[in-house]
Amino acid sequence: MHNERPSLGAPSLERPAGLDTNLDVSGMVDPDKGLVDRRIFSDEQIYRQEMRRIFARSWLFIAHESQFTKPGDFFQTYMGEDPVIAVMNKQKEIRVLLNSCRHRGARVCRADHGRTKNFTCTYHGWAYNLDGELISVPGEHYYNDEFDKAKWGLSAVPRVESYKGLIFANWDADAEPLEDSLGDMRWYIDAFMDRDPEGTYVVEGVTKWVLDGNWKLAAEQFATDWYHVTMSHASALMILSPSGKGPKKEIAERTGRQFTDEHGHGAGFPVHPKNRFDAQPVHEYYDYEFLKERLSEEQVTGPLTNGHATVFPNFSYLPVNGSIRVWHPKGPNKMEVWAWTVLDRSMPEDVAKAQRLYNLRTFGPSGVFEQDDGENWSECQANAGAFMVANTALNYQMGLDRVESREGYPGMTSELYSDAAGRGLYRRWRELMNTPAWHEEA
């Protein structure tokens, strides 16, 4: 872990404060009454403030540990809109570096992933090692004696930590530790990422696609929304059901729990003693009694299989098919989705293949469920900036006043059909948007 402050530019430059004007968004979200101002999904100034006050100081998902095996292994991704490179250095530590040359700002890495000895900018040839240190400057003798390469390395993200194979990074050197930030959400993640004593790995390659829609629409749904399933996914449920008529009423209207917390995380899942994995080979592979001993009965009959979850702000997952994804913001009206398939290391090849194929059929750009979700988000976004539409409050009142502490489930939970985790996400959003971040300190 590296605790130095990241460089925000060369010393001696001072940016006018007016360029980064912040709005007071207190009146735009009222989680106690379940009301949200629709402008938070379409306003450019609000979006830019999110980059400064949410993405510049939150724990953001970077990659899975299995993507790095030897020094020089790298993976290019984003933190908010900032391009970064995650790389294993010679000490086998994961470093996250801003992918922007300190000379003129071009990317020093253009490949999505691979293995390298250093990163060299193709504009003027400045080269950096695996720790981001500037090691070569062509024509260095043309600079005066005050030029010091040690001061011009790539900006490094000061905090990089992992949990159950999931690597997160944070630009705030003084942020609370990742595990503290996850809090009770760890119990729900464990039901997905800690089933196998050998750990997990991701299938090579990342599926990527672009959608019209604000990033919060996707993050919110995966945190809180089981409500849409029987309506939005009716055709997909018919296709996947043995009868071709959709699931039985007792399955379609299954009861469960929804988790919400002060950090903005959320998870929802049906609870039933016969919860199971959908892909038959996967279901037959798992020893549910063993899992009850390794985890707990509540985890096995709840979040182990069917369900949905979001780690604030923009990392989500689906246990039933092993899907993890990031909703990369690309402006107030667009997002880029990056999705991986997670598998348990002990899975035989035939079981792993069944899980991977089930994921492809259900989620991802060609998945029968994913297409429904993308259409919904795009439809919500289509008129979000229209005057009367933008001035009409949205209703997040389902399950209002039904959040409670229940034995067996860490933190606060509500009924499965609820907006509780959505209200929690926007409560945290409002808090961060109205609180100066580390880079705004005098």
Side-chain angles (χ1 to χ4, degrees), residues 150-227:
K151 296 180 179 179
W152 293 96
L154 298 176
S155 295
V157 183
R159 300 288 296 278
V160 181
E161 298 175 19
S162 64
Y163 184 75
K164 299 299 168 67
L166 304 172
I167 301 171
F168 290 79
N170 196 321
W171 284 109
D172 186 355
D174 298 321
E176 62 180 337
L178 173 63
E179 291 199 17
D180 292 347
S181 176
L182 292 174
D184 290 322
M185 185 69 186
R186 290 175 294 171
W187 186 87
Y188 301 90
I189 293 175
D190 290 351
F192 172 36
M193 298 298 295
D194 198 26
R195 301 185 296 236
D196 188 344
E198 299 298 317
T200 60
Y201 69 98
V202 290
V203 176
E204 186 174 353
V206 183
T207 306
K208 306 175 183 180
W209 65 101
V210 176
L211 290 174
D212 291 330
N214 187 274
W215 67 271
K216 293 188 292 298
L217 293 170
E220 166 206 307
Q221 177 177 301
F222 273 62
T224 200
D225 196 345
W226 189 268
Y227 185 38

Side-chain angles (χ1 to χ4, degrees), residues 159 168 196 218 273 288 296 326 341 379 414 416 421:
R159 300 288 296 278
F168 290 79
D196 188 344
Y288 294 102
S296 69
V326 177
T341 301
E379 179 63 22
S414 70
L416 177 60

